[in-house]
Amino acid sequence: MAVNVGYAPMTGVWNLAGWPAMSVPFGTHATGLPIGVQLIAPPGGEPHLLALAAQLEAAHPWPRHAPRREPARTA
């Protein structure tokens, strides 16, 4: 559970309340940082969440690795 909270800290609260929630990648910022979107459905809505996530991935495939970041340079 601790790993899940660190990865997507807000979805656990919804899941404990009985509302299925998931966080999925949705692109990258101009700086290269990943951007995600949180999806929430009413109780019993897991099939809808999974279908929506599949549609998002089909429209914009998710990278299977973390973006490469150059270390900050010090002056």
Side-chain angles (χ1 to χ4, degrees), residues 11-41:
T11 59
V13 175
W14 286 102
N15 291 328
L16 288 173
W19 289 65
M22 63 188 332
S23 179
V24 297
F26 198 67
T28 56
H29 188 269
T31 62
L33 293 174
I35 298 173
V37 62
Q38 183 176 354
L39 307 173
I40 304 165

Side-chain angles (χ1 to χ4, degrees), residues 2-4 7 10 14 18 24 26 35 41 44 46 49-50 56 59 62 67 71 75:
V3 173
N4 292 340
Y7 179 72
M10 302 308 288
W14 286 102
V24 297
F26 198 67
I35 298 173
E46 290 90 347
L49 285 180
L50 294 171
L56 290 173
W62 307 333

Side-chain angles (χ1 to χ4, degrees), residues 25 27-28 32 34 61-69:
T28 56
W62 307 333
R64 299 295 181 216
H65 55 83
R68 184 180 181 114
R69 294 206 35 178

